[in-house]
């Protein structure tokens, strides 16, 4: 069987501008993957991972990958081209962790997170409708702030939980909101990665998230790697394998 060929297009899904990686085929789509970038990155920051993920997955059935750009521009904060799902102060977060104000970090409900969730859900639903798939064929994931938005969306936004969840360098926030509804993710396959030398979101913040999920009887495969705030090769390889599983559903 000849390998599938993919193309990239820029389109607006819902209220978000997206890069869509789709196959050059008229066959039915087997699965949909949506990846959300982190705070301060360009809207197409994660698009470069698509080729690596597809190479690992080598799907025999066609998949679609969507990379939405966050709605907020950070140009007026001296960061032209940078975007955010909601505004935050990295320094304030780091200060709270250094001073041991852990509950403040874990329980914070950032201003703007609900609006970001609504926008992301609209884009996901538009993509699911276009490609005739539902949440049982959805992989949702993100890096850093995008990972936190993915948890928020999986717990509180989508009508049904996604089949798979990939969380790169995320953290536990909104604890009082998330914990009561985390059990809805018990049938979701969850992969989480976090660097041991992460200076932006320290490893402990990722461990809090992992523990909250496992205490809710969710299936979490946790990858701790020796590195900073990034997505390591082992995380890409694992995510690619999850894409391959999605294509076999």
């Amino acid at each position: 069987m000849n390998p599938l060929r993919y193309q990239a297009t820029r389109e607006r899904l819902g209220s978000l501008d997206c890069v869509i990686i789709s196959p050059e085929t008229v066959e039915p789509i087997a699965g949909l993957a949506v990846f959300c970038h982190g705070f301060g990155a360009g809207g197409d920051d994660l698009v470069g991972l698509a080729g690596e993920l597809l190479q690992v997955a080598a799907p025999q059935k066609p998949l679609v990958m969507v990379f939405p750009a966050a709605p907020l521009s950070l140009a007026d904060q001296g960061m032209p081209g940078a975007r955010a799902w909601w505004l935050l102060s990295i320094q304030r977060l780091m200060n709270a962790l250094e001073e041991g104000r852990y509950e403040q970090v874990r329980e914070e409900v950032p201003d703007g997170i609900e609006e970001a969730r609504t926008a992301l859900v609209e884009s996901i639903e538009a993509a699911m409708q276009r490609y005739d798939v539902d949440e049982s064929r959805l992989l949702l994931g993100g890096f850093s702030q995008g990972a936190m938005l993915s948890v928020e969306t999986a717990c509180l936004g989508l009508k049904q939980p996604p089949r798979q969840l990939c969380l790169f360098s995320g953290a536990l926030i909104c604890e009082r909101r998330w914990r009561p509804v985390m059990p809805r993710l018990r049938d979701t396959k969850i992969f989480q990665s976090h660097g041991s030398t992460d200076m932006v979101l320290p490893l402990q913040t990722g461990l809090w998230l992992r523990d909250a999920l496992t205490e809710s009887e969710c299936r979490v495969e946790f990858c701790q790697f020796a590195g900073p705030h990034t997505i390591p090769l082992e995380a890409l390889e694992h995510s690619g394998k999850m894409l391959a599983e999605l294509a076999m559903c």
Side-chain angles (χ1 to χ4, degrees):
M1 181 181 294
N2 294 327
L4 295 167
R5 295 174 60 86
Y6 285 80
Q7 60 188 356
T9 58
R10 293 182 181 273
E11 300 182 47
R12 194 168 182 86
L13 292 174
S15 60
L16 298 178
D17 294 323
C18 303
V19 175
I20 302 174
I21 308 297
S22 59
E24 298 176 353
T25 178
V26 294
E27 297 177 58
I29 298 301
L32 169 69
V34 179
F35 290 99
C36 304
H37 65 79
F39 177 86
D44 58 357
D45 181 61
L46 299 182
V47 175
L49 303 180
E52 297 176 68
L53 290 169
L54 288 170
Q55 184 174 10
V56 173
Q60 297 302 307
K61 295 181 180 180
L63 297 170
V64 170
M65 305 176 71
V66 175
F67 298 88
L72 303 181
S73 170
L74 299 178
D76 59 355
Q77 298 190 23
M79 302 170 66
R83 307 199 68 80
W85 295 100
W86 61 84
L87 298 180
L88 57 79
S89 169
I90 296 295
Q91 188 59 52
R92 184 169 63 86
L93 172 65
M94 295 175 68
N95 289 343
L97 291 169
E98 289 174 1
E99 294 168 8
R101 291 181 278 118
Y102 303 134
E103 295 302 314
Q104 177 181 333
V105 175
R106 294 168 60 131
E107 296 179 5
E108 179 179 8
V109 179
D111 290 338
I113 191 172
E114 293 182 359
E115 291 81 359
R117 182 190 74 214
T118 297
L120 180 60
V121 169
E122 288 177 355
S123 292
I124 293 173
E125 289 181 344
M128 290 194 299
Q129 181 176 7
R130 175 182 296 187
Y131 298 108
D132 194 25
V133 299
D134 59 20
E135 291 91 344
S136 69
R137 295 181 179 273
L138 173 65
L139 182 156
L140 176 60
F143 172 69
S144 191
Q145 190 183 55
M148 291 180 266
L149 177 60
S150 296
V151 177
E152 168 81 7
T153 301
C155 285
L156 296 166
L158 296 171
K159 295 175 183 176
Q160 299 295 328
R163 187 180 189 91
Q164 300 171 334
L165 198 57
C166 287
L167 308 173
F168 309 122
S169 301
L172 178 63
I173 58 172
C174 304
E175 185 171 16
R176 293 186 182 182
R177 283 158 50 100
W178 289 359
R179 272 196 182 263
V181 291
M182 275 183 171
R184 83 190 300 253
L185 303 180
R186 286 174 181 167
D187 293 329
T188 297
K189 183 172 184 178
I190 303 172
F191 173 74
Q192 187 184 354
S193 65
H194 214 110
S196 58
T197 59
D198 193 327
M199 299 298 289
V200 178
L201 292 172
L203 174 63
Q204 184 59 56
T205 64
L207 294 175
W208 288 336
L209 177 58
R210 179 202 64 186
D211 293 346
L213 288 165
T214 55
E215 287 164 12
S216 297
E217 300 182 8
C218 298
R219 300 173 296 159
V220 183
E221 183 162 351
F222 189 83
C223 171
Q224 179 177 327
F225 61 94
H229 195 61
T230 189
I231 304 175
L233 178 59
E234 51 262 51
L236 288 177
E237 290 177 345
H238 193 95
S239 301
K241 293 176 182 177
M242 290 175 68
L243 278 174
E245 294 175 7
L246 195 65
M248 293 188 293
C249 294

